[in-house]
């Protein structure tokens, strides 16, 4: 078989057709609802105790910290109240030995120390003022909160959240391994170390990065209805959305403001369909999963996110290289190729190393449309460790990488579409065609519909309106905030997601046009600050971290006196 034919065959294995998309949406909605009804389901559907999204008018100075990977970030955010903000930040690599420290105290005291350094460097005034207050703090009113920074703690590990600033660690991931932290409240651990340093900081909110993204987007891009969903398509994938409180029927322990009737839910959709009822499963997906540290877990994430796409490509290419009849990376005739050299793969090449290939090669392959595929060929040399690849090799890599990336984006579309449908946001529709040119158009000029009827109207509207160009009323926009390397750097990721959305029953082309997708940078900073703000408004005297801190201070004051 020719290389071209074989690469087309492999690429076809990744095809994910409209019918598959529709089946997956139905299953996704089922699993979402199951997660709202009971615990220990595939999609965790974690209530975050955030019950409202911002509208851009929020003001104030907040602190945020972000622990979720190799770096620890500390930032202060000044919300200006006009949808803008200024951010000051510092970033420090987490020493490897702390990721596997003997006790959690070692890690959390390091984090508190970084907060102290940050405050001294960037907020000396505030810091000094606080210290002076502290020395006269033994007043009848007790400890004063006025000068305290409210801190939003973005902690992107699986947490069983039981309040806006309460949550116990379920397990570590991403190279962290500190046994005594599991089962402990991560906010309490951080607050304890902050208080030992006498810093003017209260851990006010515990935040998943998707929730931060939702809040950040809602602040910077306010519409009449607020942002519906915050989604990450980066190293991992996940989404948090605004759900009706009445739909969450499983028990919720913590206090929260019920007045909005809403609750932000962290879906943890990475584990959608771990049983592979509807997800595609090529031989390459199966190899990746079998050799992973968590076989059978995060099956949706393993087909979508940046941590895995490079590995799927690597496995597919290795399987091709193994076949002697397929001439991939085997150009032995140096006189006939334009590099005038023989294609070779060193034994130590990244192509042969598990997790050796970064997903960025997929974006590079997609972006290189030059005749000679020069950029991609250089990348194959650099990141696969194949020297002097031919044009045909690069074409094969491009074909397969494209198929993997497109499937990932269409799967991402499934999650977005399912949430749009689940929340019924398409239920009321105001179609505003620019110049009604047919009777149907004038008939549906302004329709307000409920769930089931919306599908019919979508079809009517599809028939009547051109794919692009028809303006969507601001009232009808469904706003979605996204972040992560795939949406940011993979060319056409959004287009493929949209293609999938158009294929869905109940969305169609008319519904898809109403979905506005925008990048929400810095969710872990500004988003966490916004949640700290919401938390401060909700704060109750019995708030447990506050209580804990007050007690600690009382004891210290007694000792000082
Ligand atoms: C984690 C989520 C996180 C996502 C994106 C996943 O692996 O389980 O909590 O939101 O990655 O960072």
């Amino acid at each position: 078989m020719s290389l071209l034919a074989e690469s087309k065959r492999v690429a076809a294995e990744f095809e994910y057709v409209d019918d598959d998309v529709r089946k997956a949406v139905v299953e996704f909605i089922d699993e979402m609802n199951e997660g709202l009804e009971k615990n220990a389901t595939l999609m965790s559907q974690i209530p975050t105790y955030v019950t409202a999204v911002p509208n851009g008018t929020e003001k104030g100075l907040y602190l945020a910290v972000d622990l979720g990977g190799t770096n620890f970030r500390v930032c202060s955010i000044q919300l200006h109240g006009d949808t803008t903000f200024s951010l000051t930040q510092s970033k420090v690599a987490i020493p490897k030995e702390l990721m596997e420290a003997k006790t959690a105290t070692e890690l959390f005291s390091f984090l508190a120390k970084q907060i102290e350094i940050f405050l001294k460097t960037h907020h000396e005034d505030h810091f000094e003022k606080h210290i002076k207050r502290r020395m006269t703090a033994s007043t009848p009113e007790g400890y004063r909160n006025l000068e305290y920074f409210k801190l939003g703690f973005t902690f992107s590990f699986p947490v069983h959240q039981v309040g806006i600033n309460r949550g116990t660690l379920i397990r570590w991931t991403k190279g962290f391994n500190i046994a005594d932290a599991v089962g402990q409240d991560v906010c309490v651990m951080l607050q304890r170390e902050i208080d030992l340093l006498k810093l003017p900081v209260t851990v006010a909110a515990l935040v998943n990065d998707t929730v931060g993204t939702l809040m950040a987007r809602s602040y910077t891009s306010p519409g009449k209805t607020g942002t519906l969903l915050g989604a990450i398509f980066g190293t991992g994938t996940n989404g948090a959305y605004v759900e009706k409180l009445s739909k969450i029927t499983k028990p919720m322990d913590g206090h929260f403001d019920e007045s909005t009737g809403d609750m932000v839910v962290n879906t943890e959709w990475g584990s959608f369909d771990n049983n592979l009822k509807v997800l595609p499963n090529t031989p390459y997906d199966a190899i990746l999963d079998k050799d992973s540290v968590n076989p059978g877990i995060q099956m949706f994430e393993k087909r979508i996110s940046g941590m895995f796409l490079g590995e799927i490509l690597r496995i597919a290419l290795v399987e091709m290289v193994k076949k002697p009849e397929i001439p991939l990376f085997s150009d032995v005739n140096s006189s006939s190729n334009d590099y005038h050299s023989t294609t070779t793969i060193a034994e130590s090449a990244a192509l042969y190393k598990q997790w050796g290939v970064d997903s960025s090669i997929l974006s590079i392959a997609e972006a290189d449309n030059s005749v000679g595929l020069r950029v991609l060929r250089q990348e194959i040399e650099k990141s696969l460790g194949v020297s002097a690849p031919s044009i045909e090799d690069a074409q094969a890599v491009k074909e397969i990488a494209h198929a993997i990336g497109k499937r990932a984006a269409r799967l991402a579309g499934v999650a977005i579409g399912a949430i749009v449908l689940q929340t019924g946001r398409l239920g009321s529709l105001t179609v505003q065609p620019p110049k009604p040119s047919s009777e149907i158009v004038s008939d549906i000029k302004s329709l307000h519909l409920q769930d089931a009827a919306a599908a019919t109207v979508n079809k009517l509207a599809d028939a009547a309106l051109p794919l692009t160009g028809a303006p969507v009323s601001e009232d009808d926009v469904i706003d979605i905030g996204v972040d992560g390397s795939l949406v940011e750097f993979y060319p056409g990721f959004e287009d493929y997601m949209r293609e999938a959305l158009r294929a869905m029953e109940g969305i169609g082309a008319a519904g898809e046009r109403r979905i506005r997708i925008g990048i929400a940078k810095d969710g872990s900073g500004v988003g966490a600050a916004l949640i700290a703000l919401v938390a401060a408004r909700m704060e109750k005297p019995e708030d447990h971290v506050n209580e804990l801190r007050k007690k600690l201070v009382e004891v210290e004051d007694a000792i000082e006196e």
Side-chain angles (χ1 to χ4, degrees):
M1 197 186 253
S2 75
L3 179 53
L4 183 67
E6 174 67 358
S7 48
K8 285 202 182 304
R9 188 194 67 75
V10 174
E13 291 181 89
F14 290 98
E15 237 169 68
Y16 189 60
V17 299
D18 288 355
D19 221 27
D20 299 332
V21 166
R22 287 188 279 266
K23 279 190 199 123
V25 169
V26 172
E27 178 63 20
F28 201 102
I29 294 174
D30 274 1
E31 290 188 21
M32 282 178 81
N33 283 310
E34 201 186 14
L36 294 174
E37 285 156 22
K38 46 188 190 219
N39 286 315
T41 50
L42 289 174
M43 279 168 64
S44 304
Q45 296 282 74
I46 302 165
T48 62
Y49 296 85
V50 176
T51 56
V53 294
N55 62 15
T57 61
E58 292 76 4
K59 281 186 185 170
L61 180 63
Y62 292 86
L63 268 190
V65 295
D66 178 11
L67 181 74
T70 46
N71 292 312
F72 180 62
R73 223 158 58 102
V74 187
C75 41
S76 59
I77 300 101
Q78 182 76 55
L79 302 168
H80 300 306
D82 58 359
T83 81
T84 67
F85 60 89
S86 342
L87 187 137
T88 310
Q89 71 163 324
S90 75
K91 199 162 80 171
V92 54
I94 299 172
K96 188 86 189 96
E97 63 276 13
L98 286 186
M99 291 169 136
E100 297 177 56
K102 285 213 175 60
T103 64
T105 309
E106 289 171 54
L107 174 67
F108 283 86
S109 66
F110 170 83
L111 304 186
K113 190 76 205 154
Q114 303 314 309
I115 298 173
E116 181 178 47
I117 296 170
F118 179 86
L119 287 179
K120 283 189 172 160
T121 314
H122 299 288
H123 296 279
E124 182 71 15
D125 276 9
H126 200 104
F127 194 74
E128 286 297 317
K129 222 192 284 174
H130 168 74
I131 297 291
K132 284 191 198 108
R133 257 175 201 274
R134 276 283 292 110
M135 294 196 302
T136 57
S138 41
T139 59
E141 304 89 62
Y143 203 79
R144 272 187 243 201
N145 273 337
L146 285 173
E147 297 297 323
Y148 269 70
F149 276 107
K150 301 285 179 195
L151 177 136
F153 184 14
T154 301
F155 184 78
S156 296
F157 298 93
V159 160
H160 176 60
Q161 200 155 352
V162 289
I164 200 153
N165 61 349
R166 304 185 74 165
T168 52
L169 177 64
I170 298 170
R171 63 178 180 275
W172 287 107
T173 58
K174 307 175 221 182
F176 283 73
N177 185 17
I178 309 167
D180 80 339
V182 176
Q184 290 207 55
D185 187 324
V186 293
C187 289
V188 170
M189 285 194 282
L190 182 59
Q191 187 70 62
R192 196 177 290 140
E193 297 305 321
I194 286 173
D195 291 343
L196 285 174
L197 294 178
K198 299 189 170 138
L199 305 181
V201 175
T202 298
V203 181
L206 177 61
V207 185
N208 183 268
D209 50 0
T210 55
V211 184
T213 300
L214 171 63
M215 302 304 269
R217 172 75 186 174
S218 210
Y219 181 76
T220 53
S221 167
K224 270 207 171 142
T225 49
T227 301
L228 172 67
L229 165 68
I232 303 277
F233 300 105
T235 309
T237 184
N238 188 17
Y241 73 105
V242 183
E243 181 56 282
K244 288 262 155 288
L245 251 182
S246 57
K247 286 207 181 153
I248 310 174
T249 50
K250 64 183 173 186
M252 281 188 281
D253 316 317
H255 291 288
F256 55 91
D257 169 13
E258 295 186 28
S259 66
T260 64
D262 290 329
M263 170 71 81
V264 174
V265 171
N266 167 14
T267 65
E268 286 293 335
W269 72 37
S271 271
F272 162 60
D273 195 27
N274 280 347
N275 302 329
L276 299 183
K277 258 166 90 179
V278 295
L279 283 179
N281 196 26
T282 67
Y284 323 108
D285 294 308
I287 295 173
L288 179 144
D289 183 52
K290 177 174 67 65
D291 296 341
S292 70
V293 287
N294 52 358
I297 313 273
Q298 300 290 94
M299 298 303 254
F300 192 54
E301 181 167 81
K302 282 174 178 159
R303 283 148 181 78
I304 294 181
S305 77
M307 180 158 173
F308 305 100
L309 298 187
E311 180 65 1
I312 300 178
L313 175 66
R314 188 193 72 79
I315 294 168
L317 294 175
V318 168
E319 292 302 299
M320 283 169 78
V321 167
K322 277 189 199 158
K323 296 181 181 168
E325 72 280 15
I326 304 298
L328 177 64
F329 305 141
S330 57
D331 193 347
V332 286
N333 187 353
S334 56
S335 61
S336 71
N337 86 31
D338 57 349
Y339 278 177
H340 300 297
S341 99
T342 306
T343 308
T344 49
I345 318 173
E347 250 175 63
S348 60
L351 180 68
Y352 293 135
K353 279 200 202 106
Q354 192 192 17
W355 309 116
V357 175
D358 193 274
S359 293
S360 55
I361 190 172
L362 278 89
S363 300
I364 292 166
E366 191 69 12
D368 187 356
N369 290 316
S370 66
V371 180
L373 296 178
R374 283 260 158 207
V375 178
L376 178 56
R377 288 167 77 187
Q378 270 167 21
E379 187 62 24
I380 291 172
E381 294 223 25
K382 196 176 113 214
S383 64
L384 301 187
V386 175
S387 67
S390 66
I391 294 182
E392 292 76 13
D393 291 333
Q395 281 163 344
V397 172
K398 185 170 166 73
E399 179 95 32
I400 297 164
H402 170 77
I404 295 169
K406 182 173 173 182
R407 186 187 71 165
R410 287 173 65 85
L411 284 165
V414 165
I416 290 182
I419 285 176
V420 167
L421 290 167
Q422 159 78 7
T423 52
R425 287 276 178 115
L426 282 169
S428 83
L429 175 65
T430 314
V431 181
Q432 294 185 328
K435 278 199 178 82
S437 57
S438 74
E439 276 179 29
I440 309 175
V441 171
S442 53
D443 282 352
I444 59 167
K445 223 176 189 174
S446 179
L447 284 171
H448 296 275
L449 299 148
Q450 291 309 313
D451 299 331
T456 323
V457 169
N458 290 342
K459 282 189 190 127
L460 276 175
D462 285 353
L465 302 171
L467 245 180
T468 54
V472 171
S473 142
E474 188 56 28
D475 294 355
D476 290 334
V477 164
I478 297 166
D479 192 59
I480 290 173
V482 291
D483 197 5
S485 48
L486 283 171
V487 272
E488 230 187 315
F489 304 122
Y490 188 89
F493 197 83
E494 182 179 338
D495 296 339
Y496 292 128
M497 284 199 296
R498 288 190 173 279
E499 215 179 74
L501 289 168
R502 286 195 291 273
M504 289 172 203
E505 300 266 347
I507 295 187
E512 178 269 313
R513 265 200 305 276
R514 292 174 54 197
I515 299 171
R516 181 171 66 194
I517 301 174
I519 295 275
K521 284 304 295 165
D522 262 319
S524 54
V526 69
L530 284 157
I531 298 171
L533 178 148
V534 173
R537 285 184 186 159
M538 287 168 45
E539 202 173 82
K540 295 219 162 47
E542 71 270 25
D543 180 284
H544 85 301
V545 170
N546 246 337
E547 283 304 300
L548 188 104
R549 183 172 41 66
K550 275 185 194 160
K551 277 194 199 111
L552 216 104
V553 166
E554 275 161 24
V555 172
E556 284 166 11
D557 283 348
I559 295 170
E560 274 170 26
E561 282 161 17

